[in-house]
Amino acid sequence: MRVNRILLSSSLVVVALVLQVSVLARLHLPGAVPDLLLLTVLGLALVYGHVGGALVGFGAGLLADLAPPADHAAGRYALVLCVIGYLAGLVKPENGRLKSATGPMVVVAAAAIGSTLLYAGVGALVGDTAARHVGLGSLLFTAALYDLLLAPFVVPGIMALARRAENDPLADTTSAAKSADISTGWLSSGTGLRIGGQRGGLKVKAARARVARAGRIKGVKRL
C-alpha cells in the first residue's frame, strides 16, 4: 500500500475504534453495537479495492482484538474484517465514483449480517457460545439496522477522504496539458519559426532574383 493510504487508513481506524469503544459501546442499545469500525473498513475498501480492503480490514480487526475491553481470542475479528474488506473491495466502482446510494447501502447491510454470522461462526469453532445466549436473530437485525442508520454519515465522508488522498487524476491531466503546452511552445518558438523564417527568406530572395532578371532583360532589349 502507498504511504498516504497507510497514514489515512491508520488515522481513520484509530479514530473509529476510539469512538466505538468510548461512545457507541456505552449507549447500551438493545442487541448489537453500531460497528463504526466496520463502516470505516467498507468505505476504504470501496476506494482501495479488494487487496487494500483486505489489508485495512485485517489491521483494523487486529487492533480491535488487542484493544481493551476485548474479551475474545486475538485474531478473531481480524479474520472477519479481512474477509469483509476483501469482499467489499470486489464491488469497487470502476471510476471510483458511486452513481447512487443503493449499492453502498446494500453492501453495508450485507457486511453487517455477514460479519455477525462470520464472527459467531468463528466463535463457535473456538468454543464461544455467547451469540446463542443473546439470540443470533436479534443480533443480525439490530446490527444491520444500526449500521444502515449510521452508514450515510460515515461511508461517503470516508470515501471522499480516501479519494482526496489518492493522486488526483485532474492534477495529472493538468500537468500533462502543461507539459504539452510547453513542448508545443518550444517547437513553435524554436524549430517551427526558424523553418518558417527560412522559407520566407527563400521566397523573398527568389522574388528579388526574378525582378533583377526581368530588369536585366529589359535593359538588354533597350540596347
Side-chain angles (χ1 to χ4, degrees):
M1 296 180 67
R2 299 175 182 176
V3 177
N4 55 350
R5 288 187 178 186
I6 295 175
L7 294 177
L8 178 64
S9 302
S10 302
S11 303
L12 292 176
V13 165
V14 170
V15 172
L17 182 61
V18 170
L19 291 176
Q20 183 167 334
V21 173
S22 61
V23 178
L24 297 179
R26 297 185 179 183
L27 295 178
H28 301 292
L29 297 173
V33 176
D35 201 339
L36 184 60
L37 197 61
L38 174 65
L39 297 178
T40 302
V41 172
L42 292 178
L44 294 174
L46 290 175
V47 177
Y48 295 156
H50 58 283
V51 177
L55 293 175
V56 172
F58 179 80
L62 186 61
L63 185 62
D65 289 332
L66 299 177
D71 55 353
H72 54 268
R76 181 177 172 184
Y77 202 47
L79 174 61
V80 172
L81 287 187
C82 181
V83 174
I84 295 299
Y86 179 84
L87 296 177
L90 293 177
V91 297
K92 168 191 172 183
E94 296 181 357
N95 57 355
R97 301 284 180 176
L98 297 173
K99 297 181 180 180
S100 66
T102 304
M105 296 302 283
V106 172
V107 172
V108 169
I113 296 174
S115 62
T116 304
L117 289 174
L118 187 58
Y119 186 83
V122 175
L125 293 177
V126 298
D128 186 3
T129 58
R132 297 180 181 177
H133 302 289
V134 178
L136 186 58
S138 63
L139 282 178
L140 293 175
F141 175 76
T142 53
L145 178 62
Y146 297 153
D147 290 347
L148 284 174
L149 292 177
L150 192 60
F153 304 99
V154 177
V155 176
I158 291 177
M159 293 183 66
L161 288 175
R163 285 195 298 263
R164 192 181 185 88
E166 290 291 287
N167 293 329
D168 190 4
L170 294 180
D172 296 338
T173 305
T174 304
S175 61
K178 288 182 179 179
S179 62
D181 292 339
I182 293 173
S183 60
T184 305
W186 179 80
L187 290 174
S188 61
S189 61
T191 309
L193 286 181
R194 288 177 183 174
I195 293 174
Q198 291 175 359
R199 291 178 179 175
L202 292 176
K203 291 181 179 179
V204 171
K205 290 180 180 180
R208 290 178 179 175
R210 286 195 296 268
V211 171
R213 192 176 300 172
R216 290 175 185 174
I217 293 173
K218 290 180 179 180
V220 171
K221 289 182 177 180
R222 288 175 182 178
L223 292 174

